[in-house]
Amino acid sequence: MGHWVIRLSLSVIFLLSGIFKAIDPKGTSYKIAEYLYSFHFYQLAQNENLLWCASVSLCTIEFISGIYLLVGIRRRFASMLSLCLAILFAILSLYVWLFNPVKDCGCFGDAVVLTNAQTFAKGVILLFLAILYFQYKYKTCILVPDSWHWLISLYSMGFVLIFCIASSLYLPLVDFRPYKVGANIAQAMKIPPDAEAPEYETFFILEKNGNKQKFTLDNYPDSTWNFVRTENKLVKPGYEPLIKDFVVNDTLGNDITSQILNCNDLFLLISPDFQKANNGHIDEINTIVDYCQEHKLTFAALTASPQEKIKEWKNYTGAN
């Protein structure tokens, strides 16, 4: 009975991890890039095609591993694969816990966000289960005939690949992201009046005779020490709104976030990068601009392009 529990637990973890990553493979590629940046692999972290392939590969491996464990096929291969994945995740979770290179591990995409301490605990549990399954792999029964094994492998791989491609070309089937369609950005940015505030501990760096030491208010030394700087350490995180990084500036650098969010008659043209924009639609855009001006509507273009690229685009297209 125990080996059934071990096998199903491993299967569920790998299946959920693979599916949640496959729901948003681009988001998974961004998370991989964060890890690569922390290891100083800057060129790899900026290769979008490589990141997407790595994301899809990780989704596929985890999903296939979960399927094999679930139906009991390829027991030797599945046990080796799950053990290798568990060792890799355990090492990575220990690194995340000790050095805090990312805010969350991205193990389950945006569906389940774990703290770095929770990530390490999950990594230890996963490794423990993988070791146990590796020992008892031949005690688990196979739920399907031998002739079905290659079909299950083929269809499982095809399913997760098609799922990743569809999620990349279109919106995720189930969107767990903060900016999903229908989200009220202004509401998601609000902090309740009774929300718990973060707690910080303040340290004072002082110097005496070339020797620098760290002090608190409780052991602050006498005036013979010279003040250097202060450091604040987060002791207890407070309430964080669902959306906390939405900021809109105008071309002069002024913060106009509240004006954008509170404008009722607003038409936004969204273009993340003007360098990649299709300028063949400029006539259609100008038609919409004329309509907005005629009906007293506010029209604005929202972009992440730098100022020089905005100017180049305006000069090239004649956009006003």
Side-chain angles (χ1 to χ4, degrees):
M1 184 66 181
H3 54 77
W4 268 96
V5 176
I6 294 168
R7 169 180 156 186
L8 289 177
S9 299
L10 270 176
S11 174
V12 169
I13 292 173
F14 282 124
L15 281 174
L16 290 179
S17 181
I19 282 293
F20 285 144
K21 287 185 177 74
I23 284 176
D24 185 14
K26 286 188 177 180
T28 303
S29 70
Y30 299 151
K31 184 58 66 176
I32 294 173
E34 286 186 46
Y35 282 109
L36 290 175
Y37 275 120
S38 70
F39 289 117
H40 306 292
F41 296 135
Y42 301 117
Q43 288 186 335
L44 294 177
Q46 295 171 2
N47 190 325
E48 294 183 5
N49 293 328
L50 180 63
L51 290 173
W52 189 86
C53 290
S55 172
V56 173
S57 299
L58 182 59
C59 299
T60 304
I61 291 171
E62 287 190 278
F63 185 79
I64 290 292
S65 180
I67 289 293
Y68 284 177
L69 291 166
L70 182 64
V71 297
I73 64 174
R74 307 277 196 269
R75 290 177 294 181
R76 187 171 182 275
F77 175 75
S79 63
M80 284 294 297
L81 182 60
S82 60
L83 183 59
C84 290
L85 286 173
I87 292 173
L88 174 64
F89 292 154
I91 295 172
L92 199 58
S93 64
L94 177 62
Y95 167 72
V96 168
W97 181 48
L98 291 177
F99 300 103
N100 196 35
V102 294
K103 290 184 178 180
D104 67 272
C105 65
C107 308
F108 301 103
D110 291 316
V112 181
V113 179
L114 302 177
T115 64
N116 290 343
Q118 292 170 339
T119 298
F120 178 64
K122 187 220 69 169
V124 172
I125 294 170
L126 187 65
L127 180 59
F128 177 70
L129 292 174
I131 292 173
L132 290 178
Y133 179 73
F134 186 80
Q135 293 177 331
Y136 299 110
K137 55 183 175 290
Y138 293 118
K139 291 188 177 182
T140 57
C141 64
I142 302 174
L143 302 181
V144 295
D146 291 344
S147 59
W148 288 21
H149 291 191
W150 70 273
L151 279 173
I152 292 175
S153 300
L154 181 63
Y155 279 102
S156 298
M157 186 175 296
F159 167 78
V160 72
L161 286 174
I162 293 172
F163 196 81
C164 285
I165 293 171
S167 298
S168 297
L169 295 176
Y170 307 99
L171 289 174
L173 184 64
V174 182
D175 202 340
F176 297 103
R177 300 172 301 175
Y179 295 97
K180 61 185 178 182
V181 173
N184 188 319
I185 296 177
Q187 197 66 33
M189 291 176 64
K190 288 183 178 180
I191 299 178
D194 56 346
E196 187 176 7
E199 295 181 11
Y200 292 91
E201 186 175 4
T202 301
F203 296 96
F204 302 93
I205 310 300
L206 304 178
E207 183 181 16
K208 182 178 181 181
N209 298 328
N211 180 32
K212 292 183 180 180
Q213 289 189 31
K214 185 183 292 187
F215 300 93
T216 64
L217 284 175
D218 297 329
N219 65 347
Y220 200 88
D222 55 42
S223 58
T224 59
W225 287 80
N226 297 318
F227 174 80
V228 178
R229 66 179 184 275
T230 59
E231 292 181 357
N232 293 318
K233 180 182 178 182
L234 181 64
V235 177
K236 184 180 179 182
Y239 174 86
E240 286 192 354
L242 186 62
I243 294 178
K244 52 184 179 294
D245 54 359
F246 183 80
V247 179
V248 182
N249 296 321
D250 62 15
T251 52
L252 299 177
N254 301 312
D255 189 336
I256 57 169
T257 308
S258 60
Q259 294 173 244
I260 293 294
L261 292 176
N262 296 320
C263 186
N264 294 324
D265 300 321
L266 174 67
F267 191 103
L268 278 180
L269 168 68
I270 311 295
S271 181
D273 188 349
F274 279 139
Q275 288 182 284
K276 299 179 181 179
N278 184 353
N279 293 324
H281 296 291
I282 191 64
D283 290 336
E284 299 172 13
I285 294 171
N286 286 333
T287 300
I288 299 174
V289 173
D290 293 338
Y291 176 87
C292 290
Q293 291 176 344
E294 183 181 347
H295 292 81
K296 308 297 183 183
L297 303 176
T298 302
F299 184 94
L302 193 62
T303 181
S305 301
Q307 288 293 336
E308 59 272 14
K309 298 302 177 182
I310 295 175
K311 291 179 181 178
E312 288 179 11
W313 184 79
K314 289 178 67 175
N315 292 333
Y316 180 78
T317 61
N320 54 9

